[in-house]
Amino acid sequence: MTLTPVLTDTWDKDRSWRLATYERAGGYAGLKKALKTEPADLVQAVKDSGLRGRGGAGFPTGMKWGFLPPPDGGPRYLVVNADESEPGTCKDIPLMLASPQHLIEGVAITSYAIGCDHAFIYVRGEVLHVYRRLLNAVEEAYKAGYLGKNILGSGYNLDVTVHAGAGAYICGEETALLDSLEGLRGQPRLKPPFPAVAGLYARPTVVNNVESIASVPAIVAKGADWFSSMGTEKSQGHGLFSLSGHVTRPGQYEAPLGITLRELLDLAGGVRQGHELKFWTPGGSSTPIFTAEHLDVPLDYESVGAAGSMLGTRALQIFDETVCVVRAVSRWTDFYAHESCGKCTPCREGTYWLKQVLHRIEAGEGQDSDLDLLLDLCDNILGRAFCALGDGATSPITSSVQLFREEYQAHIDGHGCPFDPSASALFAYTPKTRTPGALAGAGAGGH
Amino acid sequence: MTADPVETATRTRYDADTLAALTADATAIMERYPNPRSGLLPMLHLVQSIDGYVSRDGILFCAEMLGITAAEVSAVATFYTQYKRHPNGTYTVGVCTNTLCAVMGGDAIFDELSEHLGVGHDETTDDGAITLERVECNAACDYAPVVMVNWEFFDNQTPETATALADKLRLGEDVAPTRGAASVCSFKQMSRVLAGFNDGRADEDAGTGEPTLAGLRIARERGWTAPDGPDSEPDRRGETITGEPGSSAERRPTTPSDTQVGKDKKPGEDAK
């Protein structure tokens, strides 16, 4: 399978982030065409394209737009989720840094399609230069007449506000994002009502991921059939695959959905020289881990799901045989405990206990009953938490215990970790003596 | 009693000039949103741009601007990790110690920096230059291990590069990220940008890293492209009106809704 640069196609151009660069590459052809098209036909085109949400859940984008109730004369909103924070996920940030106009054009087309005259881009606050690029891109688009009043003479008006968050993973959950955008603590809302019915300021709202919205201009300009000519029957189009970790050439690989990790690793020069693949995540830390047995699983929504995980955000974190799976999972668990918003008990208390148990196993103080205790805790979180954060926290634990139970047991039986942490680093160093508490990471602080 | 002017009615202890400037900026922030309360997060960044943290005065100021209680502002300020509850250093040095960066060397970098600077997580050096933090995944995994300085990217770090970076920061020297602006600004300057005030530095570019371009480089070498669109992409003005050539009406049916006329249409949609 060959790579298919669409969103990445301008990234190697001089000053790729500028509007002029984007226009020279054919940018804003989609918006020009869209403004001459009935909004309902645009929604239909995106439905026909098969585009599914690129932020992890994979919900059909056009269908999400179609859920908006009929216009009642009041405002409707588009909110772009640019709060990219899922561990391993690193696609939207380079996209917005290198080619923010892809997103801005997508915002303009989508807003027109759903009847919105004020759109918001919620970008995480921890990426200063990305925020600068977005602010600048919006200013450039206003000056060129792609945003603002009477866009390109169409009579359509659109304002875009770029909003910086302030550090909270949970704000990637769409209803928590909306609460945060309303100036509140970012905690998820009870659904229903879904944002399509009562979202921002309790008005009909579409919340879409950056890559989803950035994919819209080419769908409009080149047609739904063009988009669906890439990918598989049910997972259509192109997507950014982000390789990281113990791989020779980590980075962004834009390919049709359905490419395999084996193919991607071939392109990326393979696993770190002299080492072999131990485990990997197909879609970020919240997706159950895979091993070398899964190298040929097509990376599309259906195939990854059938193999027991989730395509998620195509965040392919590669870990070789030097990595202790207990250490890896324990650290992810610190993350979930730190980022749990505290609204619901299973997640707030459950992630805290998972963290304690994993820490003691890692420190060589685990008990024989601890593995069953971990699984029991996961059983009490999965499906019982208020939002997907709690479910996600259990994925790495249950999948790794299933695949590497003997490695957990070795920590318990041997009263410590059998791995040398320096072997997995990219440089030589002598590990400093640490106290167990030092492993708590940022999770020690809590919100 | 007659109403006091706003300046004297405030419970904050900002001097008149500072308060006037803050008020003007906060007003501009609130005007960006249909509901002014949406301005609270940027307003807290604004407060940090003056005080270097979310101070008592800053909380009162936000509460007064938005007509909410100080407790409501505090509830929000304490939820988000970027809002600091004590004076921050000129530079926040954040080492990613989430799983991937940690195993690739982030743990070693944090330990080395912590020992070198004599401070732990969320602590500030005595000279006020650096606040050291462990940070969560910052969406740069393809550049692991990653260090952030005032939320600019310092990619592919080692203990040696990180300590050299910290030394430069403590000496007050300019440092340039590997991706981002030409140099790192101060915590207060950064906070003002995060409040939504463009500092005009978007065109500065420390460079596009190789991982960002990894796939594109291969596609260029091998002549791989996405499929071509339809051959002719002329101006199809007018052709997309339902019923005319090239319109959606001519598209081959691919989903059930294509053959069930009107099923997708909601009442009132025609009114548009």
Side-chain angles (χ1 to χ4, degrees):
Chain A
M1 196 176 282
T2 65
L3 297 174
T4 49
V6 177
L7 301 178
T8 52
D9 197 38
T10 55
W11 294 8
D12 59 351
K13 302 268 191 293
D14 185 41
R15 290 157 74 87
S16 63
W17 61 92
R18 295 300 302 266
L19 174 60
T21 312
Y22 185 64
E23 287 175 320
R24 273 197 295 277
Y28 282 95
L31 178 63
K32 287 170 188 164
K33 188 171 169 185
L35 292 172
K36 296 166 197 156
T37 308
E38 282 297 315
D41 291 339
L42 292 171
V43 175
Q44 191 59 46
V46 173
K47 282 183 185 172
D48 293 341
S49 75
L51 174 64
R52 294 169 65 172
R54 297 294 193 238
F59 193 82
T61 303
M63 197 185 292
K64 207 172 189 180
W65 299 1
F67 284 156
L68 290 187
D72 62 0
R76 301 145 77 84
Y77 297 109
L78 169 67
V79 177
V80 176
N81 185 344
D83 192 50
E84 182 167 67
S85 315
E86 166 80 6
T89 308
C90 50
K91 63 190 183 65
D92 297 336
I93 294 301
L95 190 161
M96 293 185 286
L97 206 51
S99 185
Q101 292 295 348
H102 255 117
L103 176 61
I104 307 300
E105 185 184 1
V107 166
I109 295 171
T110 305
S111 298
Y112 173 75
I114 64 169
C116 151
D117 61 15
H118 195 163
F120 297 86
I121 300 171
Y122 184 110
V123 63
R124 66 184 296 187
E126 301 106 317
V127 282
L128 179 63
H129 210 56
V130 172
Y131 189 47
R132 287 189 182 113
R133 289 267 163 93
L134 286 172
L135 286 173
N136 201 59
V138 167
E139 283 176 20
E140 281 200 293
Y142 267 102
K143 279 180 197 153
Y146 296 129
L147 298 177
K149 300 280 180 227
N150 190 21
I151 294 171
L152 302 177
S154 66
Y156 172 61
N157 304 326
L158 175 66
D159 284 315
V160 175
T161 300
V162 190
H163 177 96
Y169 166 67
I170 188 60
C171 292
E173 197 282 336
E174 63 178 8
T175 61
L177 186 152
L178 293 174
D179 260 25
S180 180
L181 183 52
E182 290 185 9
L184 303 167
R185 294 165 73 90
Q187 293 189 316
R189 299 174 179 175
L190 192 64
K191 294 190 277 194
F194 288 91
V197 174
L200 186 63
Y201 313 128
R203 294 294 307 166
T205 301
V206 167
V207 185
N208 278 143
N209 166 261
V210 169
E211 189 185 351
S212 308
I213 292 294
S215 298
V216 169
I219 291 172
V220 172
K222 298 180 180 179
D225 290 345
W226 165 82
F227 187 79
S228 58
S229 73
M230 291 173 271
T232 66
E233 191 186 341
K234 289 184 178 168
S235 295
Q236 292 159 338
H238 51 82
L240 292 165
F241 291 82
S242 308
L243 270 80
S244 62
H246 292 130
V247 54
T248 305
R249 284 186 295 277
Q252 308 303 317
Y253 294 80
E254 192 174 19
L257 300 190
I259 196 168
T260 65
L261 181 61
R262 189 185 301 279
E263 292 172 289
L264 286 165
L265 278 176
D266 277 349
L267 296 172
V271 170
R272 178 166 70 143
Q273 196 177 9
H275 296 274
E276 60 189 40
L277 177 63
K278 180 174 177 182
F279 63 97
W280 56 288
T281 66
S285 61
S286 302
T287 60
I289 60 172
F290 275 168
T291 63
E293 283 182 28
H294 304 93
L295 273 169
D296 295 311
V297 173
L299 295 172
D300 60 59
Y301 297 102
E302 291 72 27
S303 304
V304 178
S309 188
M310 290 175 285
L311 184 61
T313 49
R314 289 148 279 123
L316 309 161
Q317 303 175 88
I318 310 298
F319 298 94
D320 69 22
E321 85 289 349
T322 63
V323 179
C324 170
V325 77
V326 178
R327 179 186 178 203
V329 172
S330 177
R331 194 60 61 90
W332 278 325
T333 305
D334 289 349
F335 166 76
Y336 292 108
H338 181 229
E339 300 298 334
S340 176
C341 78
K343 181 162 182 162
C344 77
T345 308
C347 177
R348 182 187 64 243
E349 301 300 320
T351 53
Y352 173 80
W353 282 104
L354 288 171
K355 178 173 137 176
Q356 306 304 313
V357 176
L358 281 162
H359 281 191
R360 76 180 180 207
I361 294 173
E362 199 185 357
E365 294 158 4
Q367 300 165 12
D368 278 331
S369 57
D370 276 354
L371 295 186
D372 289 334
L373 177 58
L374 279 178
L375 295 177
D376 188 46
L377 282 164
C378 288
D379 195 40
N380 276 294
I381 298 170
L382 184 68
R384 293 175 167 82
F386 200 83
C387 78
L389 189 149
D391 293 348
T394 69
S395 292
I397 297 173
T398 47
S399 61
S400 65
V401 171
Q402 194 177 4
L403 293 164
F404 296 100
R405 190 171 181 119
E406 70 288 352
E407 196 167 310
Y408 280 89
Q409 196 63 47
H411 283 72
I412 296 169
D413 295 343
H415 303 289
C417 178
F419 288 84
D420 170 10
S422 67
S424 61
L426 294 189
F427 45 79
Y429 75 99
T430 308
K432 298 183 196 300
T433 316
R434 3 158 122 245
T435 58
L439 290 166
H447 275 301
Chain B
M1 195 170 103
T2 54
D4 290 328
V6 174
E7 287 75 12
T8 56
T10 181
R11 291 165 65 205
T12 68
R13 294 170 298 199
Y14 292 117
D15 63 55
D17 287 349
T18 305
L19 187 61
L22 272 172
T23 303
D25 287 339
T27 303
I29 287 172
M30 292 188 291
E31 284 170 355
R32 293 177 202 147
Y33 303 94
N35 181 338
R37 170 79 192 244
S38 284
L40 181 53
L41 266 66
M43 216 179 282
L44 286 164
H45 284 303
L46 176 70
V47 161
Q48 296 205 118
S49 78
I50 300 296
D51 291 337
Y53 72 115
V54 177
S55 61
R56 168 197 173 276
D57 289 329
I59 288 171
L60 291 172
F61 170 75
C62 293
E64 287 169 8
M65 289 303 296
L66 292 169
I68 57 179
T69 65
E72 287 173 300
V73 176
S74 293
V76 172
T78 52
F79 187 83
Y80 299 92
T81 51
Q82 281 185 290
Y83 299 134
K84 314 300 288 195
R85 296 157 80 173
H86 37 251
N88 203 71
T90 308
Y91 301 98
T92 288
V93 173
V95 182
C96 179
T97 54
N98 201 303
T99 297
L100 189 118
C101 275
V103 303
M104 306 279 286
D107 276 352
I109 293 171
F110 182 86
D111 289 346
E112 186 69 33
L113 271 180
S114 180
E115 189 175 279
H116 185 74
L117 296 171
V119 294
H121 167 67
D122 201 24
E123 293 176 0
T124 303
T125 53
D126 288 339
D127 57 6
I130 291 174
T131 300
L132 182 65
E133 285 183 25
R134 295 172 179 275
V135 301
E136 296 297 5
C137 183
N138 222 76
C141 316
D142 44 350
Y143 293 91
V146 172
V147 170
M148 305 297 297
V149 179
N150 285 347
W151 306 111
E152 295 266 26
F153 291 105
F154 287 75
D155 303 317
N156 303 118
Q157 293 293 293
T158 67
E160 292 73 33
T161 58
T163 48
L165 170 64
D167 288 345
K168 278 186 154 188
L169 292 172
R170 296 187 81 177
L171 289 169
E173 292 176 21
D174 267 357
V175 298
T178 47
R179 287 177 295 143
S183 64
V184 172
C185 66
S186 72
F187 179 83
K188 289 182 179 179
Q189 289 166 330
M190 171 201 80
S191 298
R192 185 168 175 82
V193 178
L194 293 182
F197 296 100
N198 194 342
D199 63 0
R201 299 184 65 180
D203 282 339
E204 292 180 20
D205 189 41
T208 308
E210 278 305 308
T212 295
L213 298 172
L216 186 59
R217 292 247 196 267
I218 292 171
R220 296 275 190 261
E221 281 165 24
R222 305 190 184 183
W224 291 347
T225 58
D228 288 334
D231 285 342
S232 55
E233 274 299 308
D235 186 356
R236 292 176 178 271
R237 181 188 298 265
E239 291 185 8
T240 48
I241 305 293
T242 304
E244 294 195 28
S247 78
S248 60
E250 289 208 333
R251 188 180 47 75
R252 291 188 311 281
T254 51
T255 68
S257 62
D258 290 330
T259 50
Q260 293 166 24
V261 176
K263 200 175 178 213
D264 273 357
K265 227 158 219 180
K266 304 277 191 321
E269 219 168 50
D270 290 330
K272 287 188 71 180

